[in-house]
Amino acid sequence: MTSHKTAQTMKPATAAKKLGVYLQATPAEFQEGAVSRTELNALQTDPPAWLVELRRTGPHPRPVVAARLGVSIAGLARGGVTEPLTSEQIDALKDEMPEWLRKERETQAEVRKEAARIKERNAERAARTTGQE
């Protein structure tokens, strides 16, 4: 009895998320078919022109927009940004620096600082615990 290996596939939405692109901006053939793990790896290692262009100019999904603006996804929503943005729109927001964006960046900086403090504290505790054994 031999076992046949079937290619592991994923929905286009999952593949788009892993590639960091907005699904609705991808070509129709990408949106309509399942993507195998091999195909995804090929797209990541040797991206076609449409993927390079999409990553460069957008429109970008919310996680990418949030990362480029230096805020959280929730911060985007609080700022009223609910739609995908292009790179040009992101740059314009950075240049304008509206009040909500300034506040959200400050909040994000505080969150990162607190996370680093907790990580350091936990590392110190772990070191003390290991040293006592």
Side-chain angles (χ1 to χ4, degrees):
M1 183 172 201
T2 60
S3 63
H4 297 286
K5 270 196 160 183
T6 57
Q8 183 181 13
T9 61
M10 62 193 83
K11 294 177 183 175
T14 304
K17 187 174 183 179
K18 289 180 181 288
L19 293 169
V21 296
Y22 184 56
L23 178 62
Q24 286 74 7
T26 60
E29 60 269 11
F30 181 85
Q31 294 180 36
E32 294 165 0
V35 179
S36 73
R37 178 71 60 188
T38 305
E39 291 169 332
L40 179 69
N41 290 340
L43 287 169
Q44 289 173 324
T45 55
D46 187 24
W50 66 263
L51 182 55
V52 171
E53 182 65 16
L54 194 55
R55 285 178 169 167
R56 192 168 51 81
T57 61
H60 303 288
R62 285 181 302 165
V64 174
V65 173
R68 288 189 176 189
L69 289 174
V71 299
S72 66
I73 294 173
L76 281 180
R78 285 190 292 269
V81 178
T82 57
E83 297 298 317
L85 299 178
T86 64
S87 295
E88 192 175 293
Q89 291 169 314
I90 293 169
D91 291 341
L93 266 176
K94 285 180 181 177
D95 292 341
E96 291 172 23
M97 194 57 74
E99 182 63 22
W100 71 265
L101 181 55
R102 189 189 58 71
K103 282 183 178 178
E104 290 300 333
R105 281 181 150 190
E106 288 173 3
T107 300
Q108 192 69 8
E110 288 298 319
V111 167
R112 285 187 189 116
K113 195 183 309 181
E114 181 64 9
R117 185 191 67 77
I118 290 170
K119 184 177 178 181
E120 186 178 314
R121 183 196 68 197
N122 290 344
E124 288 172 2
R125 284 182 180 172
R128 274 185 276 156
T129 302
T130 305
Q132 291 177 353
E133 290 179 15

